[in-house]
Amino acid sequence: MINRLPNEPRFGWLKYLLILLVFAAAGYGVMSLYQNIMLRKQEALQTSFAIVKLTEETLDPKEWGKNFPRQYDAYSRTVDVQRTRHGGSEAFQKLESDPLLATIFAGYAFGVDYREERGHAYMLRDQDMTERLKVAKQPGACLQCHASALQAYWDAGVKAGVASDAAHRQEAVLKGFEYVCAMPYAGARKLVQHPVGCVDCHNPETMALRVTRPGFLYGIRALAKSDEAVPHLPSIETWRKGERKEEYDPNRDASRQELRSMACGQCHVEYYFKGEGKLLTYPWKNGLKVEQIEKYYDDEAWADWKHALSGADVLKAQHPEFEMWSQGIHARSGVACADCHMPYIREGAIKISDHHVRSPLLNISRACQQCHNYAEAEIQARAEAIQDRTSKLLARAEAATVDAIHAIQSAAGGGATDELLAAARKLHRQAQWRTDFVAAENSSGFHAPQESARILGEAIDLARQSQLAAVKATGATGAEVTEPAAASSLLKGKEPAGSGGGSPAEDPAPAAGTRSPDAGASDKTRG
C-alpha cells in the first residue's frame, strides 16, 4: 500500500500551472516577435512620405527632404568641416601648405588661389568666393559641376527655340548647355540658386538614378566609340558588340551599379572648355588614362596657359577621380563610388544609401568592413600606407618639375632661343601634366595605387629630362651653365607628419592604429 503525503496533490497542480505559464510566455514571445516582424515589414514599405509633388522644377533639396527626410538629413551633414591627414573638407590654402605650387602654376589663376575643397553643400558658395574669378574670366561652363543647373539649361534651350514639351526636354537641355557654357560666369550665375542636389541624380517621378550632365553624356559616348577596353563598364562593352544603331546612353544602357559610379563621374572628372563657346568637354576620345588624355589635348593643340617662367604651353588637371578609379582594383571588381563614399545604412527596417558623402576612412565600419574582414585599425593603416607613399612620391615629382622650370628659365635668361628650348618645354608640359594629374586627383593614390606610382615615376623622369635639355640648350649658347637651386630642398616640409624621409618603396607599413583618418573628396578646379 502506497502512503500519499497530505500536500502532494497541491505540488502536482503547481507543476501543471508552471508548465502552463511557460507555454503562455512562449506563445506571448512568439506573437510579439511576429508582431514586430510585421511592423518592420510595414515600416520597410514606407521608404518615403508623399508630402510634396516632386517635378523637374523642384530644385531645392529641402523640398525633396520633406518626402525623403532620412536622405536629406544625411545630405545636410555635408556642411561638416573636418581636416584629415591628406585632405578633408577644410578650405585651407594649398599655396601656403605646398610652396612649390606657386611656381608650378606661375601665370595661371591657380597660382593666386588654390584651396582645399569642402563638402557638396559648399560647392556653389566656394566657387563664388574664389579669387580666381577676379584674376581670370570664368565662363558659365563652371556651373555644370557647381550648381543644380539642369533647369537653367532647359530654360535656355527653350529660349533658343527648342520645343518645351517633355518629348523634347533632352534636346532643350543639350542646347541650353551650349548657351550657358558660353556665357560669362557672372551672368550665368544669376540663373541658378542651389548647389548640386537631388534632382541632378534622381528622376523625380521614379527616384531612379540617372545621368543629367551634358558634359558626361557627350564624354561617355566618345569613350564608348573608342577602342579602349573598359571592363569595369560592362554596358559599354555590350553596346560595342551590338549594332550601334543608337548612341550609347547610360540612362538606357547602364546597370544601376554602373550608374552608382557614373552619377559621381558627372563632375569628378578631367575636363576643359572647348573652343570659343567654352563648351565643357571631357577628353575621353582615346580613353581614360593620363597619356590618352594627353594625346587628345596634343591633337587639339590645347594648352590651359603659357607658363610664366618656362614659357611652355602647359595643362592644368582638374579632379580626375573617375579616370583614376577606372584604373584601380575596386573598379575592376565592380565596386562603385557609392559603395565606399555613400555606403548603405539601416534605420529600423529601412535600408538607404548614406547621403553624407565623405571619405571611407571616416566611416570604415560601413564603407570598408562590409567586404574587408579586418580590424578598423588595420584597414586604416593599409590605406594610409598607400597615401603616405604616394604623397612622398608626389613631392619628388613636384620638386623635379620645379627644377625643370627653373632650368628652362635660366636657359632663356642666358640667351637660349625658343628653338633650342622646344624640347625642354615639351618635356616640361608632359612632366607637369602627370604630376598635376595625381595631385588634383583627391584620393592621394588610393583609387589606383600602382597607376598613381606609374604616373609619378614618368613625371619625375620627364622632368629630369626637361632639366637636362634646358642645361644643354644653355651650353649651346656658349653661356656659362649654372645649375639652379634644387627644389628638392623643400621636400622636408612636404613630407607627411611622421612618415620619415626614406624611399617610398622602402618605408614600412604604418603600425595598426597609429594613424588619423584621411579623406579623399573632390577638387573644384578650372571652373
Side-chain angles (χ1 to χ4, degrees):
M1 179 177 180
I2 299 175
N3 294 323
R4 190 181 299 276
L5 296 175
N7 60 350
E8 186 174 348
R10 185 177 64 181
F11 283 111
W13 282 108
L14 287 175
K15 184 189 302 181
Y16 293 133
L17 181 61
L18 180 62
I19 293 173
L20 181 63
L21 290 174
V22 169
F23 275 97
Y28 177 79
V30 170
M31 292 302 297
S32 297
L33 178 61
Y34 174 78
Q35 185 178 20
N36 182 265
I37 291 173
M38 296 305 295
L39 180 64
R40 294 304 182 191
K41 283 187 175 182
Q42 188 63 31
E43 183 183 81
L45 298 176
Q46 190 68 37
T47 58
S48 62
F49 305 91
I51 307 299
V52 298
K53 173 67 175 177
L54 299 175
T55 70
E56 294 285 0
E57 297 180 1
T58 310
L59 307 181
D60 190 349
K62 288 183 180 179
E63 290 299 300
W64 287 68
K66 294 175 181 178
N67 289 7
F68 298 91
R70 299 175 182 87
Q71 289 87 342
Y72 177 71
D73 177 67
Y75 168 84
S76 299
R77 291 200 294 275
T78 60
V79 301
D80 292 350
V81 174
Q82 188 167 1
R83 181 76 176 91
T84 56
R85 182 174 177 82
H86 291 281
S89 55
E90 179 185 349
F92 66 89
Q93 182 56 260
K94 291 186 177 183
L95 298 174
E96 296 176 357
S97 63
D98 185 348
L100 298 180
L101 294 179
T103 300
I104 289 174
F105 298 124
Y108 197 51
F110 280 85
V112 176
D113 187 7
Y114 193 3
R115 305 181 202 186
E116 180 73 7
E117 73 294 329
R118 295 191 287 178
H120 282 186
Y122 292 107
M123 60 176 61
L124 186 55
R125 192 183 315 175
D126 285 353
Q127 177 66 11
D128 291 338
M129 291 170 53
T130 178
E131 294 293 320
R132 297 196 296 273
L133 287 176
K134 299 178 182 179
V135 300
K137 294 180 180 180
Q138 300 283 3
C142 298
L143 296 181
Q144 177 182 261
C145 294
H146 287 279
S148 188
L150 196 62
Q151 188 63 29
Y153 294 155
W154 183 81
D155 290 339
V158 171
K159 186 180 294 185
V162 181
S164 61
D165 60 309
H168 293 85
R169 181 173 179 80
Q170 183 72 352
E171 182 184 352
V173 167
L174 295 178
K175 185 65 177 179
F177 170 67
E178 297 177 7
Y179 177 81
V180 174
C181 280
M183 293 178 66
Y185 180 80
R189 177 64 178 84
K190 298 175 182 178
L191 304 178
V192 297
Q193 294 180 320
H194 304 285
V196 171
C198 314
V199 72
D200 296 292
C201 299
H202 292 280
N203 184 308
E205 294 183 3
T206 66
M207 300 304 127
L209 274 175
R210 64 178 182 175
V211 172
T212 61
R213 290 297 182 264
F216 183 89
L217 291 172
Y218 288 134
I220 202 72
R221 288 175 185 174
L223 177 64
K225 293 176 183 177
S226 75
D227 296 327
E228 176 66 5
V230 284
H232 63 298
L233 300 174
S235 65
I236 290 181
E237 299 286 358
T238 300
W239 178 86
R240 288 172 174 173
K241 296 175 183 177
E243 297 180 356
R244 303 192 186 190
K245 291 182 178 180
E246 297 180 286
E247 297 271 12
Y248 174 80
D249 182 356
N251 293 312
R252 181 194 63 225
D253 301 324
S255 67
R256 183 175 182 276
Q257 183 68 357
E258 287 175 292
L259 285 171
R260 295 179 79 234
S261 292
M262 289 180 175
C264 305
Q266 295 181 95
C267 297
H268 294 248
V269 292
E270 164 63 15
Y271 64 87
Y272 79 113
F273 301 147
K274 183 176 183 177
E276 294 297 323
K278 304 297 183 184
L279 190 70
L280 191 144
T281 303
Y282 299 176
W284 293 351
K285 180 180 178 181
N286 303 315
L288 299 173
K289 295 186 178 71
V290 64
E291 63 272 15
Q292 293 167 333
I293 297 173
E294 179 184 51
K295 183 180 186 304
Y296 173 91
Y297 285 142
D298 289 345
D299 292 343
E300 292 289 318
W302 171 261
D304 282 292
W305 87 104
K306 185 178 289 291
H307 199 278
L309 302 180
S310 75
D313 292 326
V314 283
L315 302 168
K316 173 70 186 81
Q318 306 316 304
H319 24 73
E321 282 85 44
F322 185 81
E323 291 90 343
M324 189 69 83
W325 164 82
S326 295
Q327 313 310 319
I329 186 63
H330 287 91
R332 192 62 181 266
S333 300
V335 178
C337 305
D339 288 325
C340 303
H341 294 276
M342 301 175 63
Y344 289 118
I345 58 175
R346 283 194 177 274
E347 292 189 9
I350 297 176
K351 177 183 176 182
I352 63 172
S353 292
D354 187 355
H355 283 62
H356 183 190
V357 186
R358 52 183 168 160
S359 166
L361 291 182
L362 298 176
N363 194 18
I364 291 175
S365 61
R366 290 198 186 107
C368 308
Q369 288 184 319
Q370 302 303 311
C371 298
H372 301 287
N373 189 23
Y374 306 108
E376 286 193 26
E378 173 66 16
I379 292 173
Q380 183 172 316
R382 292 188 185 193
E384 290 181 346
I386 293 170
Q387 293 179 318
D388 286 348
R389 292 167 181 173
T390 302
S391 294
K392 289 192 289 185
L393 196 56
L394 174 61
R396 285 159 174 76
E398 288 184 357
T401 301
V402 169
D403 284 346
I405 292 170
H406 287 160
I408 296 172
Q409 182 185 26
S410 177
T417 64
D418 290 342
E419 183 180 0
L420 288 173
L421 290 173
R425 285 171 174 161
K426 181 179 179 180
L427 289 163
H428 168 210
R429 171 186 168 96
Q430 295 172 337
Q432 180 154 323
W433 165 241
R434 285 160 176 76
T435 298
D436 194 32
F437 196 89
V438 176
E441 197 279 327
N442 287 282
S443 73
S444 296
F446 184 78
H447 284 153
Q450 288 179 305
E451 178 70 357
S452 298
R454 178 187 76 86
I455 293 170
L456 291 175
E458 288 185 3
I460 295 170
D461 176 45
L462 291 165
R464 295 307 180 193
Q465 288 186 52
S466 174
Q467 186 179 6
L468 289 173
V471 171
K472 291 180 180 178
T474 304
T477 65
E480 182 180 353
V481 177
T482 57
E483 187 70 17
S488 57
S489 62
L490 295 172
L491 280 176
K492 184 176 181 182
K494 287 174 54 58
E495 295 287 0
S499 65
S503 166
E506 297 173 355
D507 285 345
T514 61
R515 305 292 189 185
S516 59
D518 172 59
S522 69
D523 180 23
K524 304 298 183 287
T525 48
R526 268 192 191 100

